[in-house]
Amino acid sequence: MEPGEKLVIIGCGGVGGPASVLSRKLMPEVEVTNVREEKRFIVR
């Protein structure tokens, strides 16, 4: 991907979470957004 592009990852249950973390590490110039659904919001 080129600098300034946006990457949207849908879901965080299976591979979405690790994919977003790895994407941010490998491509810091790309804006990564993770879309997820939670019934209860818990801050850890």
Side-chain angles (χ1 to χ4, degrees):
M1 296 185 79
E2 296 182 16
E5 288 188 327
K6 297 179 181 178
L7 175 66
V8 177
I9 298 175
I10 308 289
C12 197
V15 246
S20 64
V21 171
L22 189 60
S23 300
R24 289 180 182 155
K25 287 183 180 180
L26 294 177
M27 301 178 290
E29 67 279 355
V30 175
E31 183 180 335
V32 180
T33 303
N34 197 348
V35 178
R36 57 189 289 185
E37 177 184 1
E38 289 192 25
K39 295 182 181 181
R40 294 181 215 127
F41 183 72
I42 299 173
V43 178
R44 296 178 189 174

